[in-house]
Amino acid sequence: MPDFFTLYLVVLLLNLSHCLIWGLIAYRYRDLRAARFWLAGSGACVVGGIALSVQGENGLLLNTVAGNGFIILGFYLNWCGARSLHGDKVEWTHVSYLLGGSILVMLATFHPWYGRNPVYTLAQSLPLALTALYLMRPCRRDLGAVIASTAMVVGGLSHWIIAGGNMLIVTGLRPDLQLYQAASIDLLVFLFAAIIWNFGFLICTVDRLQTEIEQLANEDELTGIANRRMFMNRLTEICKKREGVNFSMLLFDLDRFKAINDKHGHAAGDAALKYAAAVIKKQLRPGDVFARLGGDEFGLLLPTTTVAEATAIAKRIVSAVKATTFSWGSLELGLTVSIGIASSKGSMISPETLMESADCALYETKRRGRDGYSLFAAPLEPASNIVRLGDFSSTGSAART
């Protein structure tokens, strides 16, 4: 079994390798704040490994406390990195109190090795337990989080077993218990666990970067809602799978948007689009797919929605947008939208046909003076601002004004 000097050198080399990995990731993805925390945590463990490797056989107060203090700091920085990766606030106050308390307790219990070992191992285990509990929450329980939290639990349990054995020696229950070899095994297990939890963090990082890429591919940069690509993909899926189930689609434009751009500038136009999108989102249900299709054109896909339900949603949107006032500096403008509604009554329909039908209904709304909605299919109930359209499928999509 290797001596502790050799094991501390292994700790040093292992954390240097972690520094290299997280340093490269932090350099390549500079907006990934979590990687900088994990780099700093590995760096702190490197400093701790150096201090412990030169402390000698009997252990020096400064080296022992400082070495373990830096390692504990590294583990708390792992906790900070996990919180940062998932968008939660880093609890610096808590970290400061817990780290400071651990150092004070280690200083106060610097006695023969069997006496201080339980304190040091438990102080190292606390940040691991906090990180594991954080990663085990259902909203964060992906593959990387499971791997990292499991490895931390294993490392903590290994430490706690040795701490328990030392407590038996200190209390006199088993004064003859020999733990030197077991402590070496504990350190080896802990090193292996550290490799695994850093691997788990790496998987978490890859998953987060992949999620960001998917968001960039499917999200409109200006408004934060879905883009045309995501909308069309979802529409295609529904058209293929929704035979026998009603679903509806709305297409709508922001009325006289070109005039806003020409008179007040594109910045005002962009702000108007963001404002209208935010107002419309409040009128929607979970599961509705709301997207910006381009310019001032929006689309709304309503799964398992009848014509009557789609009409009610369109009415809410028209009323909500009209009832609000868009402010831009000292300027206040009233906004309105024109909507076209198309619906499938349980039969198979192509995305192109549904889009064309909604487009024709939208053109009819604009032809009548805007600020309203029209149905491509016959409405279930008459209303003053609903127009029944004939079958436009043979005429194609009309040009808009």
Side-chain angles (χ1 to χ4, degrees):
M1 184 62 61
D3 58 30
F4 277 94
F5 174 77
T6 303
L7 291 175
Y8 289 144
L9 286 179
V10 173
V11 171
L12 171 62
L13 294 174
L14 178 63
N15 283 287
L16 281 174
S17 67
H18 292 161
C19 283
L20 177 62
I21 292 171
W22 291 119
L24 292 173
I25 293 175
Y27 176 78
R28 178 63 181 84
Y29 303 100
R30 301 189 182 185
D31 292 334
L32 188 64
R33 191 162 171 246
R36 297 200 294 272
F37 278 112
W38 291 326
L39 170 60
S42 299
C45 289
V46 167
V47 176
I50 293 173
L52 292 175
S53 64
V54 298
Q55 68 177 333
E57 288 295 327
N58 295 324
L60 302 174
L61 173 63
L62 179 61
N63 293 66
T64 302
V65 174
N68 282 279
F70 274 107
I71 290 174
I72 294 168
L73 171 61
F75 295 162
Y76 278 116
L77 290 172
N78 285 338
W79 182 36
C80 295
R83 295 184 65 87
S84 176
L85 184 72
H86 291 90
D88 289 330
K89 180 182 178 182
V90 175
E91 302 288 350
W92 287 116
T93 302
H94 293 165
V95 171
S96 300
Y97 287 150
L98 291 170
L99 178 61
S102 298
I103 292 174
L104 290 175
V105 173
M106 286 190 295
L107 287 170
T109 56
F110 189 79
H111 295 297
W113 185 80
Y114 289 117
R116 67 175 181 262
N117 178 269
V119 173
Y120 291 13
T121 53
L122 292 174
Q124 290 181 16
S125 300
L126 179 58
L128 299 182
L130 290 173
T131 308
L133 288 173
Y134 177 81
L135 293 174
M136 286 178 179
R137 295 179 184 179
C139 58
R140 306 179 187 91
R141 202 178 297 160
D142 53 22
L143 177 60
V146 170
I147 291 174
S149 59
T150 301
M152 288 180 173
V153 169
V154 170
L157 286 175
S158 176
H159 262 11
W160 295 339
I161 290 172
I162 298 300
N166 281 285
M167 288 299 296
L168 293 176
I169 297 173
V170 172
T171 57
L173 295 176
R174 288 292 306 274
D176 59 335
L177 193 62
Q178 298 297 319
L179 292 177
Y180 188 88
Q181 193 172 36
S184 299
I185 296 174
D186 163 53
L187 188 52
L188 287 174
V189 171
F190 200 82
L191 291 174
F192 177 73
I195 295 173
I196 300 302
W197 78 57
N198 275 276
F199 178 67
F201 288 152
L202 187 59
I203 293 179
C204 289
T205 301
V206 172
D207 288 344
R208 175 51 54 92
L209 293 173
Q210 183 177 359
T211 299
E212 291 178 357
I213 291 173
E214 291 175 353
Q215 287 179 343
L216 290 173
N218 296 315
E219 186 178 284
D220 178 60
E221 184 177 3
L222 177 64
T223 60
I225 62 176
N227 60 14
R228 186 182 187 91
R229 177 178 180 274
M230 181 178 180
F231 183 85
M232 294 305 298
N233 288 342
R234 185 72 178 119
L235 175 60
T236 301
E237 291 175 5
I238 291 178
C239 287
K240 287 180 179 179
K241 300 178 182 179
R242 292 291 184 177
E243 185 174 7
V245 179
N246 292 325
F247 67 94
S248 302
M249 185 179 72
L250 276 60
L251 289 182
F252 43 97
D253 285 348
L254 193 61
D255 293 333
R256 297 178 177 85
F257 175 70
K258 186 176 183 301
I260 297 176
N261 269 340
D262 292 344
K263 187 174 182 180
H264 306 290
H266 289 282
D270 289 347
L273 289 174
K274 291 173 65 176
Y275 180 81
V279 171
I280 293 167
K281 282 178 65 175
K282 295 178 181 179
Q283 312 305 317
L284 307 183
R285 311 162 302 178
D288 295 342
V289 181
F290 180 39
R292 182 185 175 208
L293 305 183
D296 64 320
E297 183 180 28
F298 295 87
L300 179 58
L301 194 55
L302 304 171
T304 62
T305 302
T306 64
V307 172
E309 293 169 334
T311 301
I313 292 172
K315 183 177 181 180
R316 289 205 309 267
I317 291 173
V318 170
S319 299
V321 174
K322 189 174 183 179
T324 61
T325 301
F326 165 62
S327 298
W328 175 252
S330 60
L331 180 68
E332 291 190 350
L333 295 175
L335 301 178
T336 59
V337 292
S338 297
I339 300 178
I341 308 170
S343 183
S344 171
K345 297 182 179 180
S347 59
M348 291 293 292
I349 187 171
S350 69
E352 294 78 13
T353 300
L354 196 65
M355 288 282 289
E356 183 179 1
S357 300
D359 193 64
C360 291
L362 173 59
Y363 174 74
E364 176 63 22
T365 303
K366 296 171 76 71
R367 186 189 66 80
R368 292 186 295 110
R370 303 178 177 87
D371 186 21
Y373 52 95
S374 302
L375 291 170
F376 183 79
L380 299 183
E381 297 179 1
S384 60
N385 60 342
I386 300 177
V387 172
R388 174 175 177 172
L389 304 180
D391 185 358
F392 284 87
S393 60
S394 63
T395 63
S397 178
R400 296 187 193 166
T401 58

